[in-house]
Amino acid sequence: MDGFDWPVLMRAGMRGLGLRPNDFWALTPAELRLLLGEETGARPMGRTRLDELMAAFPDTAEGARG
């Protein structure tokens, strides 16, 4: 990301969503994107990728705590 277009984001947050300035500035960029309906972020890990990671990094008795 090259930067934020603050005037556009402020209009969307305060005019579009009706946020008060304090509420707008308290949001993280991820929270603001979520409120604005943007869903282009990273997707959650699927089962296939989890299985790949489990195979690559299996739990062992040495690393187990109990």
Side-chain angles (χ1 to χ4, degrees):
M1 177 180 284
D2 293 330
F4 296 104
D5 188 344
W6 288 111
V8 169
L9 292 174
M10 290 169 66
R11 276 192 298 278
M14 290 184 234
R15 286 186 186 170
L17 297 174
L19 297 171
R20 295 177 305 175
N22 286 343
D23 295 330
F24 173 83
W25 290 111
L27 293 171
T28 66
E31 291 168 332
L32 182 58
R33 284 194 307 263
L34 179 68
L35 288 172
L36 292 172
E38 184 179 315
E39 298 182 18
T40 60
R43 299 284 179 223
M45 183 185 320
R47 183 63 199 203
T48 301
R49 182 64 181 138
L50 177 60
D51 290 340
E52 291 170 356
L53 288 171
M54 289 171 48
F57 302 99
D59 289 336
T60 64
E62 297 170 10
R65 295 181 185 204

